[in-house]
Amino acid sequence: MSDGPVAQSGGGVIDAPGAPVLDVDPGIKTASSPKIAPWEERFTSYDVEAFEVPRGREEQWRFTPLRRLHGLHDGSAAADGEVAVSVHSGFGDSATEDLGGVRVEHVERGDSRLGDGGIPADRVAAQAWSSFPTATVVTVNEARSDDEPLTVTVEGPGVGKTAYVHLQVRLEHHAEAVVVLDHRGSGTVAANTELVVADGAKLEIVEVHDWADDAVYVGAQHLSVGRDATIRHTSITLGGDLVRLSPVVNYRAPGGDVELDGLYFADGGQHFEQRLLVDHSVPNCRSNVMYKGALQGADGDKAAHTVWIGDVLIRKEAEATETYELNRNLLLTDNARADSVPNLEIETGEIVSAGHASATGRFDDEQLFYLMARGIPEEQARRLVVRGFFGEVINKVRVPALRDRLEAAVEAELEAVGS
Amino acid sequence: MSTLEIRDLHVEVETESGPKEILRGVDLTVNSNETHAIMGPNGSGKSTLAYSIAGHPKYTVTRGEVLLDGENVLEMAVDERARAGLFLAMQYPVEVPGVSMSNFLRSAATATRGEAPKVRHWVKEVKTAMTDLEIDPSFAERSVNEGFSGGEKKRHEVLQLALLKPKFAVLDETDSGLDVDALRVVSKGVNDYKAQSDVGVLLITHYTRILRYIAPDRVHVFVNGRVAESGGPELAEELEANGYERFTTAKEEQPA
């Protein structure tokens, strides 16, 4: 019963050795397709015991190496550490503690606002819900300027420790904010992150996972989109032993507009997994998904592994929906594996547009040849191509200092393997 | 004065049924300030010659050499060849998403000139070259070749020629897919660069149309992987009138 949405379609499972550019095109499933279980059966609950302990064969968990979760999934990971959550105005060197009109509260489990974003849909998320000590609620009720991003820093509990986190970012109606959600440090963490964006509000949020090498983070992001509200969510995964993110977009009223962008860069031994669900349940909403990943596993090391599942559902009542999703993976070395499964399920024909694309390929030798044929040395040509590949995601980040940091991080990743 | 000398060049490609020889002993010498047209039927190996000179990894040279002022370019990496002064205007320029044209051009100019061009001069230089080729300034911020029409791509190849200032330029079917207006613009770009430099040009084409705009000093008929006949501009006129039949028939009588 803990199985999630099952619009399963021909997946793009690509092993690097010998794999040329491969376009995954599982086709579009329609409501008449008999293989698809109804999405209404997607199970959600706050109660961890309502979910069976995953064994690894479930659709929801089949890509995740459960033994590396340190017991987050089976109840054996006792909370013996705490995550430090701090909120600043500004980002990086310019950050201050003066938050202006932003309200930060630490609340108990029973707070009525918790759950406004969404309800856990897997056992680890429910475990986090049952186990967090206090929840942090950050409320914005004004239109903040773009130059004043809010930075929420989540620092892991430390090596060998486990912690559960609950974070909610709320934008009241017509509020506007740019938020950087910066995850770092060591340890094992399960989290729920709620992004509750009220009518007419506009949230731009960059969620950075720059964990230390030992860290394990399993997080559910619950996006609640009010009437005519806008969320631009960018998810950046650079570090950690295992990072698994499950953003769910819930449209609460017509007119919602959501962009989900992502960038992940996995080295040898790292497992980075993204499972998206965009649930178009009301009319006149828009979603645009663009995730880009690069993988590099050094010879003799463990493979780099990324998983991207993009589920988009357009329900019968969601007329005039406009949606597109794209996932691209760049295999920089042989020792890498990228799984990419876009699913698009459409229950009404009355939509503006719907599309999806997925491609995983090795470094494009033709691009390399073209640049080198103009005199550009190979090393530099490779960097230009990778920078260009990620540029579409990074250039949209509106916090200049963060953009610089992300560019530097990508450069550092490339240096690391000397590709 | 520079010389590009191709000697007994043999090149093969890997196919499903094993290696296949495409070039079968090409001999050709181009000097500075000369324009040589290489004309031949489809499949005769013209593009293979172009890409082999540039060093595309798909092609394996099994014999012969390509000398630029006595230095064997076949021993150089692709980027070294470009920095040595070779340029290939490609028939199918490659799209490089996310890399802006301006960033690309500047990187290429920095590499081929050995130092970064001074910003102020560079901006002006690019602007002038783009205007000459009737390229809208907005293209500078677009990704390299991405979403460009066939004509736009060819214009950008010639733009690179003008900015990178090679000693020898190989133009691989730069005329293909161009309408008359675009052909005129592109040809003018090549002629302008010829006028202001000592470039030697290897103009590869299937049709004589472009030769009305870019006058060749020598014409070589390329058949079955080698030069079948060389002559002056009058040879192009004969091809215009009679096609390649005389050469392809001769080929069958004297199999390689």
Side-chain angles (χ1 to χ4, degrees):
Chain A
M1 67 175 170
S2 64
D3 275 4
V6 213
Q8 189 45 43
S9 54
V13 180
I14 296 126
D15 278 303
V21 175
L22 185 72
D23 271 297
V24 181
D25 185 11
I28 293 172
K29 301 281 182 181
T30 59
S32 60
S33 173
K35 283 183 201 157
I36 299 174
W39 287 70
E40 285 70 17
E41 285 179 15
R42 177 171 174 269
F43 182 76
T44 56
S45 173
Y46 298 111
D47 177 12
V48 61
E49 295 310 330
F51 293 91
E52 284 173 16
V53 172
R55 303 282 170 213
R57 293 189 177 279
E58 302 79 2
E59 173 52 35
Q60 229 176 0
W61 293 102
R62 66 188 178 107
F63 290 106
T64 312
L66 296 174
R67 61 188 167 74
R68 282 161 69 182
L69 296 183
H70 303 308
L72 288 177
H73 64 298
D74 62 10
S76 67
D80 56 1
E82 275 204 40
V83 157
V85 179
S86 57
V87 185
H88 290 88
S89 180
F91 175 77
D93 297 339
S94 66
T96 72
E97 310 232 327
D98 178 10
L99 298 177
V102 176
R103 201 164 71 237
V104 180
E105 298 161 87
H106 300 283
V107 305
E108 303 295 321
R109 198 172 321 281
D111 190 287
S112 64
R113 292 167 294 182
L114 302 188
D116 282 356
I119 305 168
D122 66 56
R123 187 177 159 104
V124 174
Q127 183 74 63
W129 201 289
S130 312
S131 309
F132 69 80
T134 57
T136 304
V137 178
V138 179
T139 307
V140 181
N141 60 8
E142 60 190 2
R144 290 173 62 86
S145 115
D146 288 354
D147 322 330
E148 278 186 292
L150 281 175
T151 302
V152 181
T153 307
V154 177
E155 180 85 34
V159 178
K161 303 275 191 195
T162 299
Y164 297 94
V165 187
H166 196 104
L167 183 65
Q168 185 179 83
V169 176
R170 294 179 76 84
L171 264 61
E172 305 292 11
H173 72 90
H174 296 92
E176 290 182 23
V178 176
V179 178
V180 179
L181 196 46
D182 204 358
H183 298 79
R184 51 178 62 189
S186 289
T188 299
V189 177
N192 286 285
T193 305
E194 297 184 66
L195 309 177
V196 183
V197 179
D199 296 353
K202 197 172 174 191
L203 172 65
E204 250 185 82
I205 185 162
V206 186
E207 178 172 340
V208 183
H209 291 274
D210 204 355
W211 297 98
D213 289 344
D214 68 290
V216 170
Y217 179 92
V218 180
Q221 290 77 23
H222 310 277
L223 282 67
S224 171
V225 191
R227 179 179 300 271
D228 300 326
T230 301
I231 300 182
R232 178 180 288 170
H233 179 266
T234 304
S235 173
I236 310 277
T237 308
L238 297 167
D241 174 63
L242 183 151
V243 177
R244 185 187 198 266
L245 306 174
S246 310
V248 175
V249 178
N250 298 300
Y251 294 94
R252 304 301 189 194
D257 186 351
V258 174
E259 300 225 356
L260 300 177
D261 290 343
L263 179 166
Y264 45 90
F265 202 133
D267 297 330
Q270 289 180 320
H271 177 95
F272 292 165
E273 181 168 348
Q274 321 268 347
R275 309 184 66 94
L276 290 67
L277 167 61
V278 181
D279 186 354
H280 280 282
S281 53
V282 294
N284 291 301
C285 290
R286 187 182 155 274
S287 63
N288 189 35
V289 177
M290 174 177 68
Y291 270 65
K292 295 195 161 191
L295 299 84
Q296 57 182 5
D299 285 342
D301 200 353
K302 280 181 260 172
H305 190 189
T306 65
V307 178
W308 184 86
I309 314 288
D311 291 338
V312 175
L313 167 66
I314 305 173
R315 295 182 195 245
K316 197 170 174 46
E317 51 274 40
E319 294 186 352
T321 291
E322 186 180 345
T323 177
Y324 190 77
E325 61 167 345
L326 171 143
N327 176 228
R328 296 233 181 287
N329 295 295
L330 188 55
L331 305 173
L332 296 172
T333 59
D334 282 346
N335 200 7
R337 178 193 165 106
D339 291 287
S340 179
V341 188
N343 296 313
L344 178 55
E345 186 183 340
I346 304 175
E347 293 176 348
T348 172
E350 303 297 312
I351 57 168
V352 176
S353 62
H356 62 171
S358 165
T360 295
R362 286 165 169 281
F363 206 91
D364 188 334
D365 288 336
E366 293 299 324
Q367 292 179 353
L368 201 58
F369 172 73
Y370 188 75
L371 297 175
M372 288 176 70
R374 300 303 181 242
I376 300 170
E378 178 169 357
E379 180 95 342
Q380 193 190 344
R382 280 181 179 278
R383 283 188 196 169
L384 272 176
V385 172
V386 175
R387 224 184 277 151
F389 176 73
F390 283 135
E392 274 191 287
V393 176
I394 293 177
N395 291 343
K396 282 209 239 162
V397 172
R398 287 210 286 169
V399 182
L402 177 58
R403 213 163 47 221
D404 292 347
R405 182 178 133 194
L406 297 178
E407 278 169 4
V410 169
E411 295 290 319
E413 293 276 0
L414 290 170
E415 300 256 343
V417 90
S419 61
Chain B
M1 221 270 314
S2 289
T3 306
L4 181 68
E5 214 179 335
I6 301 163
R7 287 188 189 158
D8 192 30
L9 189 65
H10 289 252
V11 171
E12 60 185 35
V13 293
E14 205 57 47
T15 67
E16 279 175 16
S17 50
K20 183 181 178 208
E21 187 168 58
I22 309 282
L23 299 187
R24 309 171 176 212
V26 179
D27 289 294
L28 192 65
T29 300
V30 184
N31 294 309
S32 291
N33 294 310
E34 292 178 357
T35 296
H36 292 233
I38 295 188
M39 306 194 56
N42 289 330
S44 59
K46 303 187 301 287
S47 281
T48 299
L49 176 63
Y51 278 94
S52 300
I53 294 171
H56 194 285
K58 184 177 155 194
Y59 302 99
T60 309
V61 175
T62 54
R63 206 192 316 167
E65 49 196 6
V66 177
L67 304 172
L68 175 58
D69 293 331
E71 276 214 64
N72 193 355
V73 303
L74 300 181
E75 288 164 7
M76 300 179 193
V78 174
D79 53 322
E80 290 172 325
R81 298 179 197 204
R83 293 199 296 273
L86 291 178
F87 180 86
L88 168 62
M90 298 188 201
Q91 185 178 358
Y92 303 110
V94 181
E95 299 187 0
V96 191
V99 178
S100 74
M101 211 65 216
S102 64
N103 184 9
F104 162 65
L105 291 174
R106 193 168 162 78
S107 301
T110 302
T112 51
R113 295 176 190 187
E115 59 176 356
K118 296 254 185 322
V119 175
R120 200 149 38 95
H121 295 152
W122 173 248
V123 170
K124 201 176 159 208
E125 195 182 342
V126 174
K127 207 176 156 194
T128 308
M130 286 177 82
T131 308
D132 289 348
L133 286 159
E134 297 177 22
I135 295 171
D136 189 277
S138 67
F139 275 81
E141 292 318 312
R142 288 178 58 175
S143 293
V144 174
N145 294 318
E146 195 180 39
F148 290 18
S149 71
E152 286 161 353
K153 284 181 181 170
K154 297 299 173 71
R155 267 187 255 183
H156 277 85
E157 292 295 284
V158 177
L159 174 69
Q160 293 165 50
L161 171 75
L163 293 171
L164 303 182
K165 307 189 187 312
K167 291 178 190 163
F168 289 95
V170 181
L171 310 181
D172 186 16
E173 307 218 7
T174 297
D175 52 334
S176 69
L178 296 186
D179 62 29
V180 175
D181 290 333
L183 181 62
R184 196 177 291 131
V185 171
V186 160
S187 303
K188 181 180 174 298
V190 175
N191 287 331
D192 286 351
Y193 179 56
K194 280 175 64 177
Q196 48 154 291
S197 71
D198 295 326
V199 68
V201 177
L202 209 51
L203 184 65
I204 292 173
T205 181
H206 183 83
Y207 304 103
T208 53
R209 189 175 66 139
I210 193 172
L211 303 182
R212 273 178 251 151
Y213 299 93
I214 303 173
D217 303 296
R218 302 281 295 163
V219 175
H220 309 276
V221 182
F222 208 74
V223 178
N224 201 22
R226 60 163 72 106
V227 176
E229 190 169 318
S230 299
E234 72 284 351
L235 186 53
E237 279 156 35
E238 189 207 322
L239 290 172
E240 173 75 27
N242 305 325
Y244 294 109
E245 200 178 341
R246 169 162 81 84
F247 303 98
T248 48
T249 313
K251 180 199 79 181
E252 277 159 23
E253 285 165 7
Q254 296 175 312

